[in-house]
Amino acid sequence: MRRLVAHPRYLLILTAGVIFTFGFFATVTREGQPQRLPIGVVDLDHSYLSRRICHELDATPGVKVYAVYNNHAEARKAMQRGKIFAFYEIPHGTYNQVLQFKGPKFTLYVNSAYILAGTLSYKQLATMGMLATGAVQREVFRKKGYDEDHIMGLIQPVTYDTHNISNPWINYGVYLMTTLLPAIIAFLSLLHVAYSVATERQERTTKRWLRKAGGSAYYALVGKMIPYTLWYTLLCIVANLVMFAFMDFPLEGSWWLMVLNSFLLIFAMQSAGLLIAACLPDPPLTMGVSTIYSAMSFSLSGFSFPAESMPDFFHAFSLLYPIRHYFLNYTNIAIYGNGFAACWPQFAMLAAFGLLPVVGAVVLKKNYLIVSE
């Protein structure tokens, strides 16, 4: 506590980092998902049909026609320069092929180097391509004399009724912030508690630190952990409160289960940080390994790529990361509205991380005895 009071900049900087991260994602995802992504159209037909397709593309909420190009090379150069994320190519003679009941082929080019922008552009343009195809088919069937009900049965024989569970708006903030923000807070808490232990070694005060803990390495580690656990748990709870109460993110289950989930996440991450700090004698190495461990948790937690689809080794390895268990509990509580009966296995796994400081205390005590001699 004296260190925190003497150096308040540590808590201030890390708290400011959490606030900045929250503000960044809240600002980026304020519209739910990116809107009016710039795309292009290569119109080689210059017909009524091609102009109509351009207008319909520009009227789509997700994309905006940045420019209409005269050839493929111009559109490709614009994509390479980052001016557009995708472009449609309407071949010459499209309208004549439609009148002759032939099947003209449209080509869609997407820059998938930008994952989110490329995916959304492809989704919007593919949807518009299907609608344009349906519109062309409808005109053809009308000329053949079919009635409207028969036409729709031919164009779309099966109609899908889609329901997005707990997120009907497809708000990317719900996907990103509810998991990524607590993960960042847990990441900072691990680094902070590992740094506090590494500082004792760096300043050569380990022996005095353990003596003040009555010679108990376990009490010394837990004493280091308690202030940071309380502080970062509070930050995590405040973040969840803002998301679920003020930003109206879906929370189908119990708020108190989410509070317990947040506390156990911070507790488990700091337990892992204490083990790393106790086992590694070199402070820079301690911070390096802590950073690597935390960074890998983003990839193995399962919220960006399903852990079940990973190779068996990495799927099993993901269980060593508290964020994986937090994410599973978040899904059970907030999305599906399940109670404690569905969450207790993950709660037990998070609580089991509390054994790590016991192992770290044994290692630290051994090193302390060697130093004493």
Side-chain angles (χ1 to χ4, degrees), residues 125-261:
L125 294 182
T127 302
M128 286 303 302
M130 295 298 296
L131 294 176
T133 301
V136 171
Q137 291 177 342
R138 184 175 61 183
E139 294 299 325
V140 171
F141 288 133
R142 280 176 177 173
K143 292 182 181 296
K144 289 184 176 182
Y146 292 104
D147 60 82
E148 290 297 325
D149 293 336
H150 194 184
I151 291 174
M152 293 308 298
L154 291 173
I155 295 176
Q156 193 177 19
V158 178
T159 302
Y160 296 97
D161 187 12
T162 305
H163 297 270
N164 298 294
I165 298 176
S166 295
N167 189 11
W169 319 277
I170 315 296
N171 187 339
Y172 277 84
V174 175
Y175 298 132
L176 290 174
M177 296 178 63
T178 50
T179 304
L180 191 58
L181 188 62
I184 291 175
I185 295 175
F187 167 68
L188 294 175
S189 71
L190 183 147
L191 288 180
H192 207 164
V193 75
Y195 175 76
S196 68
V197 175
T199 301
E200 298 287 352
R201 284 193 168 124
Q202 186 177 14
E203 298 178 357
R204 300 183 183 277
T205 57
T206 306
K207 184 175 178 181
R208 184 181 64 183
W209 168 45
L210 294 178
R211 188 185 303 117
K212 287 189 175 183
S216 172
Y218 180 75
Y219 287 164
L221 291 176
V222 172
K224 284 285 188 185
M225 182 178 174
I226 289 176
Y228 302 108
T229 301
L230 296 177
W231 177 252
Y232 285 103
T233 299
L234 178 62
L235 288 180
C236 199
I237 292 174
V238 170
N240 284 329
L241 182 64
V242 172
M243 289 186 290
F244 295 128
F246 296 98
M247 300 182 70
D248 292 326
F249 285 3
L251 177 60
E252 302 296 334
S254 170
W255 161 254
W256 295 109
L257 284 180
M258 281 302 302
V259 172
L260 177 60
N261 200 28

Side-chain angles (χ1 to χ4, degrees), residues 13 52 72 96 108 112 134 146 203 240 259 297 311 329 333 347 358:
I13 291 174
R52 179 178 175 182
H72 177 89
N96 291 332
L108 171 59
S112 295
Y146 292 104
E203 298 178 357
N240 284 329
V259 172
S297 64
N329 272 343
I333 299 169
F347 284 147
V358 178

